Amino acid sequence: MDIDYKKMLELAKEVSKNSYAPFSKFHVGACVMGGSGKLYQGCNFENSSFGLTICAERCAIGNAISHGEKQILAVAIYSPESDECYPCGACRQVIFEFKGDFETEIITEKNNEPKIDKISHLLPFGFKI
Ligand code: THU
């Protein structure tokens, strides 16, 4: 499966504009590729009860899963507030769940260029039943 890293980052950037982050003011967008090759976007949305916040990555993964995807092949993350915005620990665990046999690729932006990693590098010895 060909992965267009720049396009995925562009879609992550676009959806970061919809982020609801009145508390942290840290806006994040994500774009994930499902096993079908289709792309899905998501953004973070916070809550007055802070612990209920959903990260952009998990929002995008929920979007993909609810459209019938069973695997997540790639995750691109963008924040206007941070170069190289990596997924938090909770999102790494959620991404790991859907990696399948493929090693999900993690795409961040560094100095306006895509930087690629693999989920098993970000979450070594990941837990899965
Ligand atoms: N956030 C994400 O959306 N993804 C990450 O990987 C890191 C953190 C959000 C959660 C919260 O709304 C804000 O960024 C600050 O933590």
Side-chain angles (χ1 to χ4, degrees):
M1 186 73 69
D2 274 350
I3 301 176
D4 187 339
Y5 301 124
K6 288 204 169 176
K7 181 178 181 190
M8 288 188 69
L9 279 171
E10 206 44 57
L11 288 169
K13 189 173 192 170
E14 175 189 279
V15 72
S16 73
K17 293 179 184 137
N18 296 333
S19 156
Y20 176 74
F23 307 109
S24 72
K25 313 254 189 282
F26 192 86
H27 305 87
V28 188
C31 174
V32 305
M33 179 184 277
S36 70
K38 286 188 192 158
L39 301 177
Y40 303 87
Q41 293 165 291
C43 62
N44 60 328
F45 55 101
E46 301 183 344
N47 192 275
S48 300
S49 177
F50 299 158
L52 300 183
T53 290
I54 303 289
C55 292
E57 298 90 321
R58 278 177 289 146
C59 179
I61 289 169
N63 188 7
I65 297 301
S66 58
H67 279 85
E69 300 289 352
K70 307 291 179 215
Q71 265 189 58
I72 301 296
L73 303 183
V75 181
I77 307 125
Y78 174 85
S79 171
E81 272 75 56
S82 161
D83 210 24
E84 256 189 301
C85 183
Y86 277 102
C88 76
C91 290
R92 292 178 196 206
Q93 176 66 27
V94 172
I95 294 165
F96 192 86
E97 183 78 16
F98 295 111
K99 75 181 181 65
D101 296 332
F102 193 86
E103 268 297 324
T104 306
E105 299 202 41
I106 307 297
I107 305 141
T108 57
E109 189 176 72
K110 186 177 184 185
N111 301 325
N112 285 314
E113 287 298 325
K115 189 180 167 204
I116 318 302
D117 217 314
K118 302 263 190 201
I119 188 61
S120 288
H121 182 229
L122 300 185
L123 187 70
F125 307 105
F127 173 73
K128 193 167 185 308
I129 296 172

